[in-house]
Amino acid sequence: MDKLKLALYWAGSCGGCDVAVLDINDNILKLADIADILFWPIALDFKYTDVEGMDDNYIDVCLFNGAIITSENERIARLLRAKSKILIAFGSCSCFGGIPALANFSNSADIMNYSYIAAPSNDNPTGTLPQVLTKVDEGILELPALYDTVRTLAQVVPVEYFLPGCPPPVSLIIDLVDKLAKNELPAIGSTLTPEKTVCDECPLKKENKCISKIFRPHELIPEPERCLLEQGIICCGPATRSGCGAACIKAGMPCRGCFGPPEGITDQGAKLVSSIASIYDAENEDEITRMVNEIVDPAGTFYRFAMADSILRRKRFQEKTHE
Amino acid sequence: MSFEPKIVGFLCNWCSYGAADLAGTSRTKYSSNIRIIRVMCSGRIDPTFILKAFEKGADGVLICGCHIGDCHYMEGNIKAARRIPLLKKMLLQLGIEDERLRLKWCSAAEGKLFASIVDDMTEQIRKLGPFNYTGGVKDG
Ligand code: SF4
Ligand code: SF4
Ligand code: SF4
Ligand code: FES
């Protein structure tokens, strides 16, 4: 069999997903056995022009990590889409927007202003901001434009498979390499994880789902063997896709939802509102109000990884936002 | 052209839908801005339905159920009473004003009350202006 032609790319990403690929250790040799890597900006010296020079569908599989934040991310997403037979959204940023999509609570002008002017660590008395086009003696310089709304890869181009996780765990990457080697990928459109929820994989004991007070993780030392949510610690397990083996819970932390919504759930945040409020042991308005107040940042907590993939996708544009 | 708010109303089958029916049969005049969807119980309203309504063009969403203690399924309306405030808090962070989502109780005898809730909500949303769901895209 000819070797698989593989490309890897990072768009609006932290680099963790690329490191996760290296973390498969000696399996990387297996990857090198079955695949020729044609493009991988973090590790190998190829240029965009090399990809532009390829025929359409020349690449067999492209692992695309990162969200679509800038015009450059979008341009390369379209380029790699055209050049690849199979495009895989790799990691939660690419699948659901991930942490970068928390920018959807703001907009590009406010983000630029904070990052370059308002943030206390800045020393920018002239208020200089990066410009998309800058005229210099030698000509015009161009930088990618920052979008108001962070998008998922699939909101920009068609995608064949999704491998969530922040980053995807080594076991699922090895599984993917195996499937590629054996040419055993599932139906197009599949997410390459189990379909259940983190709760289904969680080893903690579930006894009686009913809570009368919400604690932040630092406010309580939980009983080690009992479901964290039942003890009042917000855990996103009930509305998060399995595949990590409940990794955070095994390390003593609640699930933050990084695998995104499970099969059949369209909006992870809405589902979490429903699952968490439904187990409130609050009978009257005062108790309900108190418990609602105890969740300091519901939108940031319930949409931590899936804001771009949610029904509303972002904070509503209001005229006020742009003052 | 003046703005006519579109309000989606999820009404429980046992009390609130009866209230809307009564408002109709007794020819109570009220704003025609509401599109009613009958559900079995206010406890059946998943927050996802509400977001979908906004996505599909609603400017406001009204949820009506039986008074506390009167729910046909005992606790359905209590579940709604727990979920909606948390959802409202989350929607506020997403730039959706409190007035766009309302939870009210109406018995089957309260046709007039139902009519006044709809009138009142219509006027408040008229002041707020359209929801303008953009699918997140404005620039790209
Ligand atoms: S999914 Fe997580 S690890 Fe991967 S790029 Fe995004 S933030 Fe980084
Ligand atoms: S809510 Fe969290 S701690 Fe409880 S069973 Fe689910 S994953 Fe485990
Ligand atoms: S437990 Fe939750 S946050 Fe942690 S890795 Fe699994 S899905 Fe992600
Ligand atoms: S049946 Fe009316 S609220 Fe449950």
Side-chain angles (χ1 to χ4, degrees):
Chain A
M1 197 185 96
D2 279 350
K3 275 192 168 186
L4 211 60
K5 298 193 204 63
L6 188 70
L8 298 96
Y9 186 66
W10 54 352
S13 108
C14 76
C17 278
D18 280 308
V19 175
V21 175
L22 296 170
D23 274 348
I24 64 176
N25 294 330
D26 45 333
N27 282 284
I28 199 101
L29 297 175
K30 184 166 169 191
L31 188 65
D33 270 347
I34 62 160
D36 281 328
I37 298 177
L38 304 187
F39 183 60
W40 192 5
I42 203 174
L44 302 166
D45 186 20
F46 292 107
K47 306 283 183 240
Y48 289 159
T49 46
D50 297 324
V51 181
E52 281 156 0
M54 295 172 189
D55 289 336
D56 281 2
N57 288 330
Y58 182 75
I59 297 165
D60 293 307
V61 179
C62 173
L63 304 181
F64 190 108
N65 73 70
I68 308 299
I69 296 176
T70 66
S71 52
E72 179 188 27
N73 300 154
E74 177 166 3
R75 182 169 74 83
I76 304 303
R78 294 189 189 281
L79 176 67
L80 285 165
R81 170 66 283 180
K83 304 298 177 187
S84 311
K85 291 193 190 87
I86 295 175
L87 181 62
I88 302 182
F90 189 89
S92 300
C93 293
S94 184
C95 292
F96 324 113
I99 296 292
L102 291 172
N104 289 0
F105 286 102
S106 184
N107 58 70
S108 60
D110 288 354
I111 289 171
M112 281 290 190
N113 184 63
Y114 186 81
S115 308
Y116 289 94
I117 299 171
S121 56
N122 280 315
D123 180 12
N124 183 1
T126 54
T128 308
L129 288 173
Q131 303 297 317
V132 175
L133 300 175
T134 308
K135 239 172 120 177
V136 290
D137 290 344
E138 294 78 3
I140 290 176
L141 298 175
E142 187 176 351
L143 282 175
L146 183 69
Y147 290 149
D148 273 325
T149 303
V150 173
R151 282 175 292 168
T152 71
L153 180 60
Q155 283 166 355
V156 174
V157 293
V159 169
E160 273 81 20
Y161 299 105
F162 301 85
L163 181 53
C166 181
V170 169
S171 61
L172 291 180
I173 302 175
I174 293 176
D175 194 47
L176 169 64
V177 173
D178 251 14
K179 289 196 168 105
L180 287 173
K182 297 186 189 137
N183 199 10
E184 278 176 3
L185 285 166
I188 303 253
S190 302
T191 298
L192 306 169
T193 66
E195 291 189 354
K196 293 182 167 172
T197 66
V198 172
C199 287
D200 292 310
E201 288 188 333
C202 174
L204 300 186
K205 273 202 220 61
K206 301 119 201 160
E207 287 158 5
N208 172 26
K209 277 225 167 27
C210 197
I211 47 177
S212 50
K213 182 170 165 47
I214 307 277
F215 297 93
R216 306 186 78 182
H218 65 275
E219 291 173 337
L220 179 82
I221 297 178
E223 294 169 38
E225 297 197 341
R226 183 150 172 242
C227 166
L228 296 168
L229 189 54
E230 286 182 4
Q231 299 183 66
I233 293 176
I234 297 293
C235 178
C236 299
T240 301
R241 185 183 279 272
S242 60
C244 66
C248 296
I249 290 131
K250 286 176 186 159
M253 283 299 286
C255 172
R256 296 160 313 135
C258 84
F259 267 60
E263 206 68 25
I265 300 297
T266 33
D267 193 292
Q268 192 180 21
K271 196 68 205 167
L272 280 165
V273 165
S274 172
S275 1
I276 288 170
S278 302
I279 59 166
Y280 275 12
D281 180 17
E283 296 296 332
N284 59 50
E285 218 170 295
D286 289 350
E287 279 173 36
I288 293 171
T289 308
R290 172 183 57 79
M291 291 193 72
V292 167
N293 288 340
E294 283 168 0
I295 301 185
V296 179
D297 174 15
T301 308
F302 300 152
Y303 286 123
R304 189 181 270 127
F305 292 92
M307 188 67 234
D309 179 57
S310 70
I311 293 173
L312 297 173
R313 294 193 182 186
R314 59 159 297 117
K315 182 174 176 185
R316 202 170 137 248
F317 286 113
Q318 287 162 300
E319 299 318 316
K320 276 175 273 165
T321 325
H322 289 277
E323 264 171 27
Chain B
M1 215 179 78
S2 78
F3 160 59
E4 281 303 330
K6 284 194 216 61
I7 298 171
V8 171
F10 292 102
L11 274 50
C12 93
N13 181 53
W14 301 98
C15 288
S16 315
Y17 195 80
D21 235 10
L22 180 64
T25 49
S26 36
R27 297 174 186 267
T28 310
K29 269 207 159 151
Y30 68 99
S31 353
S32 57
N33 298 64
I34 190 160
R35 278 76 168 156
I36 293 174
I37 299 174
R38 172 156 55 163
V39 292
M40 291 314 279
C41 174
S42 64
R44 178 62 187 92
I45 306 300
D46 192 290
T48 309
F49 300 175
I50 297 163
L51 298 184
K52 285 238 164 184
F54 288 126
E55 180 193 19
K56 302 280 179 218
D59 300 302
V61 176
L62 172 65
I63 294 162
C64 279
C66 316
H67 286 276
I68 296 293
D70 291 345
C71 171
H72 193 76
Y73 306 97
M74 314 298 286
E75 294 229 318
N77 52 6
I78 297 181
K79 282 217 181 330
R82 291 171 186 153
R83 283 184 198 131
I84 302 302
L86 185 56
L87 180 65
K88 270 175 172 265
K89 180 169 180 180
M90 187 167 90
L91 293 185
L92 218 53
Q93 292 179 282
L94 287 161
I96 298 167
E97 303 87 345
D98 196 57
E99 296 86 344
R100 290 194 192 268
L101 173 59
R102 279 208 194 177
L103 174 63
K104 289 280 176 189
W105 313 129
C106 259
S107 83
E110 292 173 322
K112 287 236 155 54
L113 176 66
F114 176 76
S116 72
I117 290 171
V118 175
D119 278 344
D120 192 51
M121 191 169 174
T122 305
E123 282 327 300
Q124 283 200 334
I125 293 181
R126 199 190 299 282
K127 277 190 210 119
L128 289 177
F131 185 96
N132 281 341
Y133 177 80
T134 62
V137 183
K138 189 178 178 184
D139 60 354

